[in-house]
Each structure stands twice: as structure tokens, then as C-alpha cells.
Amino acid sequence: MSTAASKTLPDTHGHFGPYGGRFVPETLMHPLQELEEAYLRAQNDLEFQQEFEYYLREFCGRPTPLYLAERLTRELGGAKIYLKREDLLHTGAHKINNCIGQILLARRMGKDRIIAETGAGQHGVATATVAAMFGFKCVIYMGAVDCERQALNVYRMKMLGAEVVPVHAGQQTLKEAINEAMRDWVTNVRSTHYILGTVYGAHPYPLMVRNFQRVIGDEARRQILEKEERLPDLLVACVGGGSNAMGLFYPFLKDSSVKMIGVEAGGEGIEAGKHAARFQGGSIGVLQGTRSFLLQDEFGQVQLTHSVSAGLDYAAVGPEHAWLRDQKRVEYTFATDSQALEAFQKLARLEGIIPALESAHAIAEVIKRAPQMRRDELIVITLSGRGDKDVAQAAAKVGLQMPK
């Protein structure tokens, strides 16, 4: 059994090997320790876990189906392809799983205000949704560029009662939105909980978000055993910060027969400033609270990133992913913008499912891999979200005329 298979938790300081940890201003050390203590208590509290499961089932719509993509399978002519349909959840993506867990935790901690960052807007919508549901004040930070390309989600957040703050600093995307959310949290730690949206940031966020998202893999495991009476041969998921991928992968880490592939954003190609594939052009560094792989220059300055997908357009990756790559437990590759757009259209036309552009990166990898596999082999893909938010942008990229 590999090291990765036998040791799947961070240590008490939040380290995954050389990655992770807690690199924050002194003012945030106490709230992070308070959050860690509250989370560890909740993790072992049957009442909390039952409430979490209740809302996942009754409000979010779990379990999500594990759907056999018959036409895509036939078209590619290789392995049998299953889609884990997180796009069918309330709010349209896997993000709601984590938001439910964190809002219940915030309520236990006596907070009354929620902040969050968002890139593609799906985490922002999920955060605004749970804040409205429990009566919390809510502020969402979003890069100004992302506000434009994800205008639909901006309107959804406002409709739900959240204040959306466009961030005009730097590249005006996800990294800058996180910076502003962290500044807010430093100022308002007594009343405010920060619902960070991915398996990134200072400990305990990578651990906590992974555990709230592992429901994806737990369900997929049960479902594939029911349908096929065996485990899948390959798991595939897109990786921005990496929460949907970590949620799928984690329950299978000890199963050495199950291969796993995380797909990053290759953008316009692996050249500085043209992509967000941290494992292709990155190196180890510290950014926004944790140590992981990030895109930086020789002087440690964070490089510009690019992806057609706002949700994958981030300069760093979750520390557990970096560790799993070192352990050779998970393979990481990338899909370019053009490959993701082709996959976006192919899934829509073959299966009647319009995926999020993030999820389309995972589909793009399967389009390459499935034909090389045997027909009796099984692939499970996390379809992390639906593509309503991306239709206008994708239409413009592929030359479809939108009505005026």
C-alpha cells in the first residue's frame, strides 16, 4: 500500500507532507484555531452530522445520480463512462455541499455574518443561498473580470440578498477576490465566518472542505458497486482549487486498482500567463494561507493566469493535491480552452447535458482516454456543475450568434 493510501489525513498542524500549514497574519491565528476546534467537535457530533445529512438530502437534492453516458460511450468506442451528476444539485454545482456544512458550523460558533470569494460564481451563489436560508448577512467578493463573464451568477447572488463586491485590483479574478475576502475577515473576525470554497487556504480549510465534499465519492462508490458490482478503473475530475476532485478521489485513495486523473486548465497553452496548470509550469510556494504548487516567477511573484473557465483560473492548487501528486497516487494533466469548448459541445449534443466549462475540462480528458481503454473498463467523471452560466461565453467563443 502506498504512503498516500495509508495516510490520508493532514497532521495536527494541517500539513500534507511539505504542503499545507497555516501562513496567515497573527490576527487570523485565533479565529483559525477557533474554527478548527469547532470543526473537530462537529465532526464527532452525531447531531451535527445528522443535520448536515438532512439538508444535503432535503434541501440540496442528494444523492445525485451516477448516470451512464451511453451515447458518449458509444461515440468514443472504449471504456464505459459514468457521470456523477453534481450539476443536478440545488444551485447547479457541488459547491452547495461545503456551504451547507460551513453555515451549520458558523451558526454553532455564534457568527451572524458570512463572507466568501467566488470565481465562476457557483460558490458565491451557494454561499448566498445558505446565508439566505439561515438568515445571515452575506458579502461575496468577485473579480471584476469574472463579474462580467459570469453576470448571470452575479444577478443570482443579488437576488438571494447578498452584497456582491467587484474587485478591481490586479488581474481582477479569483486570486484578488480571495485577497479582499481575507482583508474583510481580518477586520470583522468576531462576527464573521469566511466560507472558503475549495480545498485551499490555511488549516483547517483543506481538511474541512474535503470532508464536506467527500459525499461525492462516498455516493459514487456505493452507486458503482450497485450498478457494476465492482469499483471503477478510472476517476476523472477537473482541478481548480480542487474540491470536486478531492471529494471524488478521497474515498477511493486506499483502492490501488482505481486510477485517478485531475485535469487543470491549460488555457491557450503552457506559456507564462496563458494557463492555470500549476503542475505544468509551477513551483512550491506560499500563497493565501498555505504552501502548495503555484504559478510564480523566479523572484516568487505570482504570475498571471488564464482559462476560458473562471472557476479554474487560479494561480495555486490545494495542498492535498500537491501531496497526492508527489506520492504518484493521482496523475495531473491539463486541457486547453479549445479542448474544453469542444468537450462542452460534444456532451451537450450527445447526452443533452450542458456542462460547466470547468467540468468540460474533465470531459476533454476522457475524450482522449476512453478510446484507449477496453470496453469492459469503467470511468467515473465528476460533472461538477451545469453550464447555464457559461452558455453566452461559450457561444461567443465557438461563433454562435446570440439573439439581441
Side-chain angles (χ1 to χ4, degrees), residues 308 337-346 349 357 390-402:
V308 70
D337 287 354
S338 59
Q339 289 168 335
L341 285 163
E342 180 185 339
F344 181 90
Q345 295 175 87
K346 188 179 281 283
R349 291 172 183 176
L357 279 171
D390 297 314
V391 167
Q393 188 188 1
K397 293 279 186 186
V398 300
L400 289 176
Q401 196 70 36
M402 296 289 283

Side-chain angles (χ1 to χ4, degrees), residues 68 73 77-82 224 228 230-234 257-259 369-380:
L68 175 59
T73 297
K80 193 184 282 190
I81 301 164
Y82 282 92
I224 198 72
E228 298 285 349
R230 70 181 187 85
L231 293 176
D233 299 284
L234 178 64
S257 66
V258 181
K259 295 180 180 176
R369 296 271 179 157
Q372 301 167 16
M373 296 172 66
R374 298 191 314 271
R375 289 174 185 264
D376 63 345
E377 290 186 293
L378 305 174
I379 299 174
V380 172

Side-chain angles (χ1 to χ4, degrees), residues 4 48 55 57 83 88 97 118 123-124 171 176 185 212 230 237 246 260 319 340 382 384 404:
F48 179 90
Y55 285 111
R57 182 178 67 250
L83 307 175
L88 294 178
N97 302 322
T118 196
H123 176 59
Q171 202 177 348
E176 289 76 24
W185 198 25
F212 285 143
R230 70 181 187 85
M246 208 62 246
M260 305 177 193
T382 305
S384 59
K404 292 182 180 178

Side-chain angles (χ1 to χ4, degrees), residues 94-95 174 198-200 235-249 260-266 276-279 292-293 307 309-322 324 330-335 357-363 382 384:
H94 70 291
K95 296 292 188 181
L174 183 57
T198 193
V199 287
Y200 196 75
L235 306 177
V236 184
C238 64
V239 178
S243 65
N244 91 89
M246 208 62 246
L248 177 65
F249 296 164
M260 305 177 193
I261 298 176
V263 187
E264 298 185 284
R278 290 65 47 104
F279 292 128
S292 189
F293 255 75
S307 173
S309 159
L312 302 185
D313 192 359
Y314 184 55
V317 66
E320 190 165 10
H321 284 291
L324 290 171
V330 181
E331 177 187 347
Y332 293 87
T333 184
F334 64 91
L357 279 171
E358 291 80 11
S359 313
H361 285 69
I363 302 293
T382 305
S384 59

Side-chain angles (χ1 to χ4, degrees), residues 149-180:
R149 59 180 173 173
Q150 298 293 341
L152 173 63
N153 278 340
V154 173
Y155 297 136
R156 292 171 77 195
M157 287 182 266
K158 290 181 176 179
M159 189 72 70
L160 290 159
E163 178 188 352
V164 181
V165 180
V167 179
H168 294 276
Q171 202 177 348
Q172 305 179 58
T173 56
L174 183 57
K175 175 172 65 71
E176 289 76 24
I178 294 175
N179 284 341
E180 289 304 313

